[in-house]
């Protein structure tokens, strides 16, 4: 049972990691916790679902469509809720509150547009199961795990080696200096938010496929987990998001398997509170990064 | 200049605020003076329901069931009903405001709702104090009608439904040891769990595991993996259909094939729709059985489908019956304003036969009605014999 | 005045006052620049403590409510000593997490009755009506029933508590303590350098916010007969935050105005209930973009002071009451 539960934990954790990557990307560049990321994820899931069921698209084009939709939402959010704040000097809490506003707005919009009932992808896409020595793992989960690892590596490479990645890191370091050095920071910020949101939208489709339930409030639940991972892994740290996600997934599953299942939802935040006391910069955050103190 | 424009905005916003307060004051004064049932022949019935938010699917079914019943009653013409809907968003403060508005501004004769038991525990005492009859159509937890003499419900409490399904399942599948799963942040599910536990103890079936989950959870792999290793003869699940469907799917996926006995939340066509084949073997006890060979049920389903283009669920059926019962009582009293008389008449309703079967209120204003134990077979609810 | 005696409006007024008290609780922590999203959690601790004390231990209401506040304060000490070291979003998220943890604990405890919540909590209104009836006024006076008298008494008591808290907050802002708070809010580093013990003051503000939220929770429990864990979830925390964001958190009148508006508007906009959450979301975004200081700030107050009176500046209190009820 231990191995099966470990697999359950890793598969759950990989979805957390996938979501946390989007949070991390935005935080890394803008120093903003994007509370609306969960809702963009939810919209992505719905758009993918509609493309797959109403327009009979293949699951891959639906995934692409969801990513495009996520990017569009990200652009709108940046334009309407983040850029106006950057122009005036406001406290660091303003974007947090503003994105909470976006999240509430998107959630209730989704309730209006898609209705409150949970929907799922047609069963042809249903999780195919592989059995290896009595252990069961579903195909979608392997894909999710692969994609999140792939993304982690790709993002790290991209940020470290490419021109655009370098300008993103420059912007993250210091917007004014990057501006002076000729980086179009406006463009970099828009691109980052769009990229993170596209990842969120895509994650929505994958998680929707894996868990068979797409509904308007899934954004909050998943968003909270992503948020927890963001803090666990160290704000803005890509490897941290990956490891933090896996850890949280395994911890949650083990709390059910060997502990009391009713405390499962407290695991994430219990972890955070503990961690913030012991190591506020997160598991992977470096000391120089602006810690919590 | 900048500061001045900010100041101007401040002034404008303050004026707006003052204006809203004044408008509110005026409008409320006008409606506050309106007397009860001004046209004298229409019975105003207030409905508090969960119409927007996460649980809006339930509120929507209830609204549709009520509207259908109201159309039919009004078409018959013996009593004229006017429904006034208020949204509670599933929150108790909203529900309190809604019933107060309905009682004191709209002067309704009686109330139907609210959707959740937590809301009823908050509004029940208020409504009871005011002497307005109120009928819950979706409340299954213990202690609802104990709130007061004016509180009724036509939904069968868990304590009447769950033991029947558990006993039937035991007898049919010879259960020795079972596992229980329930949603621990849902009052309906917690109440269902307690009845499951009690009944199982009474009939001597061993509970080998109790696992919890929460509403809106999507991953049940840990709980089910744990349960699978224990090899229970059946799993009892208390929750809403969304989670129930996912549990069924996951259970079948990892190779648990034993019957799954559910609470009231299982009783929805949505369960079968979202769980697909995995729903086969799900058992639930309910007075509402869509496949029943009964003219009333058939015509209700046909009318509902014609109007709303979907299958009715138990919430729609129970709401439909609730209003029919209310209409019968109003017709008997012959008054559209006398709340006390309506309460007394409602309490004596019996021999009503509706879409959820034969109905009567017992002395504690709970329904006494026949229960059918249903099992899902080939994607259909069928009677478990 | 007739309509004010309508129980619907009286109930609404009690909700407004409770929300205004919650507004003050977030104002107190925000006055040191700390954004705590844990006030819903503290509120639940106050509500459950007070409800359980009256239900199980038979403690009288007037003692149970302050004890609820004290319990919230105690918890704030446990959680606050480490968390107030955190800054900005770390604090916001840690307190948000704290609220969730409290909710899960309440769901799991036996004494709190889990998801079923606590029902038939002794009601302040019922108790006061009984008291008034025992006083020989069972028939009411001048067409006002004894139940209405009870509600009026409830409103008076709540208003008294609110009045006291406002008075306290106003005194605070012109005191040494208040100036230390303001200095920390403006620039924590500068404040520390100039010799202010920032940790002590931040902790104090955190305590005060928790205590007031606990009191509000206790009061809320005793005006509604029932409390359940759902009442104190994430949405509640955001609602409390909205009071401060909409009204403004510079001066105590800000969150109070926010609380009044956000309690009254949903009732006025009952026809548009499906769009309410969307409107709330939009308010948060728009306020942050165009008026991050909220509807009322120091400058608006100063402006109104000079507009409405030609007198020299005195305490802001009566100016504001004049302004809101022209």
């Amino acid at each position: 049972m231990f191995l099966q539960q470990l697999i359950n934990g890793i598969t759950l954790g990989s979805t957390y990691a996938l979501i946390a990557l989007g949070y991390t990307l935005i935080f890394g560049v803008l120093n903003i916790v994007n509370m609306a990321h969960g809702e963009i994820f939810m919209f992505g899931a719905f758009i993918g679902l509609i493309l797959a069921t109403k327009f009979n698209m293949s699951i891959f084009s639906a995934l692409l469509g969801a990513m495009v939709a996520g990017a569009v939402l990200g652009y709108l959010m940046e334009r309407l809720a983040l850029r106006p704040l950057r122009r005036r000097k406001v406290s660091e809490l303003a974007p947090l509150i503003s994105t909470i506003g976006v999240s509430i707005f998107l959630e209730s919009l989704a309730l209006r547009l898609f209705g409150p009932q949970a929907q799922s992808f047609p069963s042809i896409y249903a999780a195919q199961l592989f059995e290896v020595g009595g252990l069961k793992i579903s195909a979608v989960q392997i894909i999710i795990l692969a994609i999140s690892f792939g993304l982690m590596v790709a993002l790290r490479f991209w940020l470290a080696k490419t021109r655009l990645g370098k300008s993103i890191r420059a912007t993250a370091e210091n917007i004014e200096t990057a501006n002076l050095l000729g980086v179009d920071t406006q463009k970099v910020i828009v691109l980052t938010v769009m990229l993170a949101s596209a990842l969120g939208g895509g994650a929505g489709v994958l998680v929707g496929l894996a868990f068979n339930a797409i509904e308007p409030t899934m954004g909050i639940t998943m968003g909270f987990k992503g948020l927890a991972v963001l803090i666990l892994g160290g704000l803005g740290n890509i490897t941290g998001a990956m490891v933090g996600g896996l850890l949280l997934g395994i911890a949650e599953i083990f709390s059910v398997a060997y502990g009391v299942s009713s405390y499962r939802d407290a695991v994430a935040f219990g972890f955070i509170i503990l961690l913030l006391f012991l190591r506020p910069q997160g598991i992977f955050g470096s000391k120089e990064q602006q810690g919590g103190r | 200049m900048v500061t001045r424009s900010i100041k101007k905005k401040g002034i404008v916003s303050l004026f707006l605020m003052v204006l809203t307060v004044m408008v509110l004051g005026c409008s409320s004064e006008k409606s506050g003076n309106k007397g009860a049932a001004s046209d004298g022949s229409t019975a105003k019935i207030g409905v508090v329901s969960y119409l927007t938010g996460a649980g809006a699917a339930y509120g929507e079914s209830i609204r549709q069931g009520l509207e259908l019943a109201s159309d039919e009653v009004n078409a018959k013409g013996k009593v004229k009903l006017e429904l006034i809907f208020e949204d509670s968003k599933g929150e108790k403060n909203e529900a309190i405001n809604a019933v107060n508005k309905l009682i004191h501004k709209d002067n309704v004769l009686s109330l139907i709702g609210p959707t959740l038991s937590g809301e009823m525990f908050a509004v029940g005492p208020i409504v009871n104090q005011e002497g307005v009859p109120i009928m819950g159509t979706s409340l299954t937890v213990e202690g609802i009608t104990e709130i007061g003499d004016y509180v009724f419900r036509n939904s069968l409490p868990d304590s009447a439904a769950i033991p029947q399904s558990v006993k039937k399942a035991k007898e049919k599948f010879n259960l020795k040891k079972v596992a229980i799963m329930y949603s621990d942040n849902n009052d309906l599910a917690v109440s269902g769990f307690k009845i499951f536990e009690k009944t199982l103890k009474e009939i001597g079936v061993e509970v080998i595991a109790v696992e919890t989950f929460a509403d809106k959870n999507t991953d049940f792999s840990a709980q089910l993996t744990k349960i699978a290793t224990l090899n229970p003869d059946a799993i009892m699940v208390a929750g809403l259909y969304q989670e129930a469907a996912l549990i069924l799917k996951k259970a079948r996926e990892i190779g648990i094939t034993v019957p799954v006995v559910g609470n009231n939340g299982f009783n929805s066509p949505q369960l079968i729709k979202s769980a697909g084949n995995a729903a086969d073997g799900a058992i639930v006890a309910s007075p509402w059985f869509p496949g029943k060979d009964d003219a009333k049920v058939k015509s209700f389903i046909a009318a509902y489908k014609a109007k709303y283009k979907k299958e009715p669920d138990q919430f729609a059926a129970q709401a439909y019956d609730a209003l029919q019962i209310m209409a019968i009582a109003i017709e008997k009293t012959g008054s559209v304003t006398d709340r006390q008389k309506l309460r007394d008449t409602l309490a004596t309703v019996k021999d009503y036969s509706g879409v959820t079967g034969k109905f009567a209120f017992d002395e504690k204003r709970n329904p006494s009605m026949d229960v059918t134990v249903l099992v899902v077979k080939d994607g259909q609810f069928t009677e478990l014999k | 005045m007739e309509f004010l005696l309508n129980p619907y409006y009286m109930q609404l007024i009690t909700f407004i006052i409770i929300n205004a008290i919650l507004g003050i609780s977030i104002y107190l922590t925000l006055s040191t620049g700390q954004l705590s999203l844990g006030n819903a959690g503290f509120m639940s601790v106050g509500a459950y403590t007070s409800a359980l004390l009256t239900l199980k231990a038979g403690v009288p209401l007037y003692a149970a409510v302050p004890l609820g506040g004290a319990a919230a304060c105690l918890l704030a000490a446990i959680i606050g000593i480490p968390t107030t070291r955190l800054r900005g979003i770390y604090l916001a998220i840690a307190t948000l997490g704290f609220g969730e943890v409290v909710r899960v604990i309440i769901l799991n405890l036996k004494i709190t009755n889990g998801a079923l919540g606590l029902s038939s909590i002794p009601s302040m209104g019922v108790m006061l009506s009984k008291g008034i009836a025992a006083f020989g006024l069972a028939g009411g006076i001048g067409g006002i029933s004894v139940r209405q008298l009870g509600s009026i008494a409830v409103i008076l008591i709540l208003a008294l508590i609110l009045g006291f808290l406002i008075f306290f907050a106003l005194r605070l802002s012109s005191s040494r303590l208040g100036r230390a708070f303001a200095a920390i809010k403006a620039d924590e580093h500068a404040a520390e350098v100039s010799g202010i013990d920032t940790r002590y003051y931040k902790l104090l503000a955190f305590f005060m916010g928790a205590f007031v939220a606990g009191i509000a929770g206790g009061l809320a429990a005793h005006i509604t007969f029932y409390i359940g864990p759902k009442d104190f979830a994430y949405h509640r925390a955001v609602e409390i935050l909205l009071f401060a964001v909409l009204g403004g958190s510079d001066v105590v009148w800000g969150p109070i105005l926010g609380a009044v508006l956000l309690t009254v508007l949903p009732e006025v906009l009952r026809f548009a209930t499906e769009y309410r959450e969307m409107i709330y979301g939009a308010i948060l975004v728009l306020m942050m973009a165009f008026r991050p200081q909220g509807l009322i700030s120091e400058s608006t107050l100063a402006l109104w002071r000079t507009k409405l009176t030609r007198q020299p500046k005195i305490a802001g209190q009566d100016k504001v009451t004049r302004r809101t009820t022209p």
Side-chain angles (χ1 to χ4, degrees):
Chain A
M1 184 173 99
F2 175 80
L3 277 179
Q4 180 64 51
Q5 293 289 28
L6 192 65
I7 289 177
N8 292 340
I10 291 172
T11 48
L12 181 66
S14 62
T15 61
Y16 292 164
L18 194 58
I19 292 155
L21 281 177
Y23 274 103
T24 303
L25 209 54
I26 292 185
F27 189 89
V29 176
L30 289 167
N31 261 319
I32 285 174
V33 174
N34 176 17
M35 298 288 283
H37 191 71
E39 276 63 33
I40 290 174
F41 157 86
M42 175 266 297
F43 256 88
F46 269 109
I47 302 275
L49 179 73
I50 289 169
L51 290 178
T53 54
K54 296 261 156 68
F55 295 92
N56 288 320
M57 286 192 180
S58 77
I59 201 69
F60 291 102
S61 17
L63 185 66
L64 274 181
M67 291 181 77
V68 172
V72 171
L73 277 178
Y75 175 76
L76 289 175
M77 181 183 74
E78 200 281 332
R79 198 75 189 79
L80 301 173
L82 297 178
R83 198 177 300 179
L85 309 190
R86 252 196 335 275
R87 271 195 261 114
R88 10 163 112 228
K89 272 274 170 212
V90 288
S91 86
E92 56 167 344
L93 295 173
L96 184 81
I97 294 169
S98 182
T99 52
I100 288 179
V102 175
S103 82
I104 296 177
F105 184 85
L106 286 179
E107 191 199 36
S108 56
L109 185 68
L111 274 168
R112 287 288 303 151
L113 288 179
F114 311 122
Q117 253 146 7
Q119 302 174 32
S120 60
F121 280 99
S123 46
I124 15 167
Y125 304 120
Q128 262 188 312
L129 279 190
F130 292 115
E131 246 190 280
V132 188
L135 299 175
K136 294 191 178 73
I137 184 160
S138 78
V140 187
Q141 299 283 24
I142 296 176
I143 295 174
I144 290 181
L145 194 60
I147 288 185
S148 24
F149 263 114
L151 267 178
M152 179 190 82
V153 174
L155 281 176
R156 286 204 66 126
F157 175 80
W158 186 63
L159 286 177
K161 303 286 181 214
T162 64
R163 197 180 152 74
L164 192 60
K166 282 177 186 164
S167 21
I168 287 183
R169 282 191 299 140
T171 311
E173 202 69 39
N174 190 322
I175 291 193
E176 280 88 25
T177 325
N179 250 333
L180 287 177
L181 292 172
V183 175
D184 185 351
T185 51
Q186 186 89 295
K187 201 175 105 193
V188 167
I189 290 172
V190 173
L191 271 176
T192 316
V193 176
M194 284 174 71
L195 178 68
S197 305
L199 287 182
V205 175
L206 290 174
V207 174
L209 274 173
F211 293 120
N212 286 311
I214 297 171
E215 45 97 21
T217 52
M218 73 194 274
I220 284 210
T221 332
M222 271 299 177
F224 268 22
K225 303 284 154 100
L227 198 61
V229 174
L230 174 76
I231 304 264
L232 277 179
L235 291 165
N237 187 308
I238 287 174
T239 319
M242 188 75 215
V243 178
L246 290 177
L247 269 182
L248 180 62
I250 294 170
E252 279 195 1
I253 293 286
F254 277 23
S255 78
V256 176
Y258 302 105
V260 191
S261 47
S262 51
Y263 277 95
R264 173 182 182 155
D265 281 342
V267 168
F269 282 106
F271 250 35
I272 293 193
I273 292 178
L274 257 174
L275 189 82
L276 283 175
F277 298 159
L278 304 173
R279 198 178 153 81
Q281 69 271 35
I283 303 172
F284 282 83
S286 51
K287 274 276 183 230
E288 319 81 274
Q289 258 177 342
Q290 54 155 78
R293 307 180 198 195
Chain B
M1 278 308 279
V2 178
T3 47
R4 182 179 271 174
S5 78
I6 289 174
K7 278 175 187 166
K8 265 193 192 147
K9 263 189 226 152
I11 298 166
V12 171
S13 54
L14 281 171
F15 269 123
L16 278 178
M17 184 202 95
V18 170
L19 211 67
T20 29
V21 171
M22 275 163 55
V23 167
L24 171 81
C26 295
S27 65
S28 42
E29 206 143 19
K30 260 182 245 147
S31 43
N33 293 338
K34 242 191 270 171
S38 39
D39 54 354
S41 63
T42 312
K44 283 206 259 182
I45 296 176
V47 182
V48 181
S49 196
Y50 196 161
L51 294 172
T52 62
Y58 305 102
E60 200 54 37
S61 286
I62 290 170
R63 168 150 81 181
Q64 289 167 346
L66 291 173
E67 275 174 348
L68 196 65
S70 151
D71 288 352
E72 283 179 17
V73 170
N74 284 338
K76 271 191 204 150
K78 284 188 196 147
V79 259
K80 281 243 167 305
L81 301 177
E82 183 196 342
L83 297 178
I84 305 171
F85 287 93
E86 289 297 343
D87 183 14
S88 70
K89 301 178 79 190
E91 285 168 25
K92 68 158 203 221
N93 284 6
E94 304 276 350
I96 290 173
N97 281 337
V99 297
N100 273 321
K101 175 192 171 268
L102 288 166
I103 295 173
H104 300 292
K105 258 178 91 174
D106 300 324
N107 274 303
V108 295
L109 169 66
S110 61
L111 291 160
I112 288 182
T115 310
L116 306 178
S117 53
E119 298 175 283
M120 182 54 116
F121 283 124
V123 303
I126 296 172
V127 175
N128 199 56
Q129 242 180 17
E130 298 292 341
V132 182
I134 182 167
M135 184 161 12
T137 69
S138 57
L139 311 167
T140 53
V141 313
E142 296 294 290
I144 292 287
T145 52
E146 279 81 347
I147 294 170
D149 289 344
Y150 288 83
V151 182
F152 294 77
R153 66 168 147 192
N154 79 325
S155 46
L156 203 62
D158 288 329
S159 52
I162 288 176
Q164 310 238 22
S165 52
V166 174
K167 282 173 191 160
K168 192 92 176 201
K170 186 198 173 195
E171 159 191 321
K172 182 97 180 128
F173 300 103
N174 191 23
L175 306 181
K176 294 264 182 323
K177 47 179 182 139
V178 298
I180 311 181
M181 283 179 80
Y182 71 101
S183 167
D184 71 345
N185 71 345
N186 183 301
D187 41 11
L188 183 142
V190 173
S191 155
F193 161 68
K194 288 185 175 163
I195 306 284
F196 267 126
E197 218 181 16
K198 198 171 140 225
T199 315
L200 289 167
K201 202 174 170 191
E202 276 169 13
I203 62 171
V205 176
E206 188 195 355
V207 177
I208 47 173
V210 176
E211 294 295 328
T212 66
F213 55 95
D215 283 8
K216 309 285 175 194
N217 274 6
T218 49
D219 173 58
F220 304 95
S221 58
Q223 290 96 328
L224 288 168
T225 306
K226 198 169 166 185
I227 287 173
T229 55
L230 299 170
N231 278 320
D233 298 332
I235 304 177
M236 316 276 146
V237 177
L240 300 174
Y241 70 76
Q242 183 184 323
E243 292 75 28
L246 294 173
I247 289 173
L248 284 165
K249 263 185 172 172
K250 189 78 198 174
R252 303 307 185 224
E253 200 181 294
I254 64 173
I256 300 176
T257 52
V258 297
V260 176
V261 183
N263 67 331
N264 185 274
F266 271 52
N267 194 9
S268 164
Q270 288 292 332
L271 178 85
I272 299 173
K273 210 179 144 201
S274 39
N277 296 335
D280 278 16
I283 295 165
V284 63
S286 165
W288 163 243
F289 174 31
K292 200 177 194 176
D293 192 20
D294 179 291
K296 261 200 161 151
V297 174
K298 283 186 172 146
S299 77
F300 166 70
I301 294 178
Y304 190 92
K305 267 184 167 165
K307 193 163 182 197
Y308 303 109
K309 314 271 176 290
K310 62 172 191 184
E311 297 273 339
D313 58 12
Q314 61 166 343
F315 293 102
Q318 276 164 352
Y320 175 88
D321 272 352
L323 195 64
Q324 295 282 7
I325 293 164
M326 194 75 95
I328 290 171
I330 294 170
E331 195 191 322
K332 267 192 199 156
T333 60
S335 158
V336 293
T337 48
D338 195 335
R339 289 165 175 167
Q340 179 61 42
K341 216 166 159 190
L342 177 60
R343 188 219 87 89
D344 297 342
T345 319
L346 260 181
T348 63
V349 165
K350 55 174 181 274
D351 300 333
Y352 164 74
S353 141
V355 297
T356 55
K358 269 203 179 314
F359 180 92
F361 280 117
D362 66 11
E363 68 280 6
K364 280 169 84 188
R365 299 168 308 287
N366 282 321
S368 63
M369 52 212 303
D370 298 329
V371 174
T372 321
V373 179
L374 307 173
V375 63
V376 179
K377 211 170 141 193
D378 304 324
Q380 287 288 326
F381 281 114
T382 54
E383 202 176 335
L384 180 68
K385 285 182 189 137
Chain C
M1 277 325 271
E2 168 77 31
F3 83 97
L4 273 181
L5 286 174
N6 186 322
Y8 170 47
Y9 296 105
M10 291 205 280
Q11 184 84 58
L12 202 57
I13 291 170
T14 57
F15 283 147
I16 290 174
I17 298 176
I18 297 283
N19 283 341
I21 296 176
L22 286 168
I24 292 180
S25 87
I26 195 167
Y27 163 80
L28 286 171
T29 27
L30 268 174
S31 65
T32 53
Q34 303 182 93
L35 176 63
S36 160
L37 295 176
N39 289 39
F42 291 127
M43 189 188 173
S44 70
V45 173
Y48 271 95
T49 310
S50 177
L52 284 172
L53 283 175
T54 50
L55 275 175
K56 307 255 150 119
V59 174
L61 252 172
Y62 53 84
V65 173
L67 282 172
C73 208
L74 193 71
L75 200 66
I78 299 169
I79 170 109
I81 289 170
T83 36
T84 43
R85 294 186 311 189
L86 306 171
R87 257 211 310 268
I89 44 175
Y90 285 86
L91 179 72
I93 291 168
T95 47
L96 186 69
F98 157 75
E100 282 294 294
V101 173
V102 168
R103 197 177 57 82
V104 173
I105 291 174
I106 288 175
L107 278 174
N108 275 290
L109 288 182
K110 210 166 194 124
I111 191 165
T112 54
N113 206 15
L116 290 168
L118 296 172
S119 51
S120 16
I121 299 168
S123 145
M124 217 190 280
V126 173
M127 212 190 66
L128 287 169
S129 321
K130 270 190 198 145
I132 292 166
F135 209 67
L137 288 171
I141 12 166
I144 303 174
S145 77
V146 66
R147 249 200 338 268
Q148 281 169 321
L149 281 177
S151 307
I152 293 171
V154 170
I155 291 174
L156 285 179
I157 291 173
L158 290 179
L160 217 65
I161 296 172
L162 178 66
F164 171 76
L165 288 171
I166 293 174
F167 175 74
F168 173 77
L170 285 173
R171 290 294 304 224
L172 182 76
S173 59
S174 55
S175 73
R176 215 179 92 92
L177 192 63
R179 277 194 288 275
F181 282 4
I184 296 173
K185 187 182 185 181
D187 187 337
E188 196 177 330
H189 264 294
E192 197 155 8
V193 170
S194 52
I196 297 173
D197 183 355
T198 53
R199 269 206 69 194
Y200 166 77
Y201 286 108
K202 278 165 76 180
L203 201 57
L204 194 65
F206 195 71
F207 281 180
M208 292 196 299
F211 181 72
V212 175
I215 294 278
L219 292 170
H222 294 292
I223 61 171
T224 55
F225 300 96
Y226 170 83
I227 49 171
K230 270 202 188 108
D231 303 340
F232 310 103
Y234 173 65
H235 278 267
R236 187 81 193 157
V238 172
E239 197 189 340
I240 300 173
L241 171 67
L242 262 163
F243 298 154
V245 170
L246 179 64
S249 54
D250 270 2
V251 284
V252 68
W253 301 108
I256 291 177
L257 173 67
V260 173
L261 284 179
L262 288 172
T263 325
V264 170
L265 278 180
E267 290 304 308
V268 180
L269 298 175
R270 270 203 167 272
F271 57 90
T273 162
E274 321 172 42
Y275 300 100
R276 193 192 309 164
E277 294 288 319
M278 268 186 245
I279 295 170
Y280 281 4
I283 288 177
L284 281 174
V285 175
L286 290 175
M287 289 305 288
M288 281 302 113
F290 298 110
R291 211 175 151 74
Q293 71 273 44
L295 287 178
I296 304 181
S297 65
E298 290 282 9
S299 58
T300 31
L301 272 192
L303 187 75
W304 279 93
R305 234 171 248 150
T306 49
K307 275 251 154 150
L308 282 179
T309 57
R310 304 262 172 244
Q311 294 158 17
K313 272 212 272 187
I314 40 169
Q317 195 174 1
D318 51 359
K319 298 300 168 300
V320 177
T321 39
R322 200 172 296 172
R323 181 174 49 70
T324 47
T325 51

